[in-house]
Amino acid sequence: MIRGKVFGGLGLRLVHSVVNAGTGKVPLKMWTEGLPVEGVARSQLKQTAALPIIHEKGIAVMPDCHWGIGATVGSVIPTKAAIIPAAVGVDLGCGMMAVRTSLKAVDMPDSLKTIRYAVERAIPHGRSSGGGRGDKGAWRGDEPAEVGLRFRNELFSDFTRIAAKHPRIAKGNLVNHLGTLGTGNHFVEMCLDETDSIWLMLHSGSRGVGNRIGMYFIELAKKDMRKHIRDLPNKDLAYFKAGSDHFDDYLYAVG
């Protein structure tokens, strides 16, 4: 079944198909018209649709969907009184932000080399030394005062509280990754809009602690469901039920 919706005065029509995932499964709303979807991703979506905790309105599948750990990346999975850590993912804290500056294109020099080098000097990026003490992508005792201050005032108390119950998440990089960029597809970019205003756009990584929290709670959900794990279509789809201790701990850890 093909459905479409026109948004406002833009005349933009977004089309999606509703796919019956099978008996006892919620529908898949595929916003992928005209685009290829991996077979492994389709299988994964159908497995997720079979879970008893998925809302009956179904799962929304975005154009960029692809296979992931347990849950398909690029899918929106509404749940009822439960949460699937693998569906939230392991890139906790990864995000994007754009800020418009007061500068215009005419304010920029012909070459942006000097600005680029200044950004690279100011923000640790990449990874070296296996992520150890000499890692160029982390602060090495030289973090700006504001970084340490924000960690102590805004993060330390809550993190210490959850780490006291789950010490494994505290074993690794913390403040030395705060305010750093990461590796892979993370970037700092200068952009122009239609008025020639200069924007700064940032895509920062989850860094070590985000990945640790994600992986830890995925494994913890599997342990909590060990009596029922064989009933799951995929063990990575293990979930916490609302009201359980680990459900509340997980929400606190990612909140």
Side-chain angles (χ1 to χ4, degrees):
M1 181 187 299
I2 304 295
R3 296 179 181 175
K5 184 175 182 179
V6 177
F7 285 81
L10 298 176
L12 179 64
R13 185 172 185 266
L14 297 181
V15 177
H16 71 280
S17 58
V18 180
V19 177
N20 185 342
T23 304
K25 299 178 182 180
V26 301
L28 301 174
K29 298 178 179 180
M30 309 283 293
W31 300 84
T32 57
E33 190 70 20
L35 299 172
V37 178
E38 303 166 297
V40 288
R42 286 185 180 273
S43 297
Q44 201 169 53
L45 288 164
K46 291 180 179 179
Q47 288 178 341
T48 307
L51 293 176
I53 60 168
I54 307 299
H55 194 281
E56 53 272 9
K57 285 188 176 291
I59 296 171
V61 186
M62 301 295 105
D64 64 341
C65 73
H66 55 278
W67 180 90
I69 298 175
T72 309
V73 179
S75 61
V76 181
I77 305 170
T79 55
K80 298 181 294 185
I83 193 165
I84 310 168
V88 178
V90 297
D91 288 332
L92 304 175
C94 178
M96 296 189 70
M97 179 179 289
V99 178
R100 184 172 62 185
T101 72
S102 60
L103 301 174
K104 293 285 188 176
V106 295
D107 298 319
M108 292 294 99
D110 291 336
S111 172
L112 299 180
K113 182 185 296 186
T114 301
I115 297 175
R116 171 181 172 170
Y117 288 160
V119 171
E120 290 182 355
R121 287 193 300 270
I123 304 174
H125 56 282
R127 188 172 187 264
S128 63
S129 304
R133 289 187 176 181
D135 183 10
K136 68 175 186 178
W139 302 112
R140 288 173 279 185
D142 57 346
E143 66 270 8
E146 184 183 357
V147 170
L149 187 65
R150 296 193 70 169
F151 179 75
R152 291 190 297 274
N153 291 347
E154 300 177 25
L155 301 172
F156 181 76
S157 177
D158 286 342
F159 185 78
T160 301
R161 177 179 171 184
I162 192 66
K165 294 186 69 175
H166 304 279
R168 276 179 50 192
I169 67 174
K171 294 180 179 179
N173 295 302
L174 291 173
V175 66
N176 59 325
H177 272 186
L178 185 62
T180 64
L181 188 61
T183 61
N185 63 346
H186 303 112
F187 61 84
V188 177
E189 181 175 292
M190 295 183 68
C191 311
L192 280 178
D193 67 14
E194 68 278 7
T195 69
D196 275 350
S197 291
I198 302 290
W199 288 68
L200 288 178
M201 181 181 291
L202 165 71
H203 176 204
S204 63
S206 60
R207 315 305 286 121
V209 66
N211 183 272
R212 282 200 309 278
I213 291 173
M215 294 301 298
Y216 172 78
F217 279 98
I218 288 173
E219 294 304 315
L220 193 58
K222 292 178 187 178
K223 291 179 181 178
D224 281 5
M225 292 196 71
R226 58 188 177 273
K227 294 181 180 179
H228 309 285
I229 202 82
R230 65 182 60 185
D231 298 325
L232 291 175
N234 184 324
K235 64 181 181 179
D236 286 320
L237 290 173
Y239 52 85
F240 299 124
K241 289 187 176 181
S244 67
D245 288 342
H246 291 156
F247 177 94
D248 293 336
D249 287 352
Y250 180 71
L251 289 186
Y252 190 87
V254 302

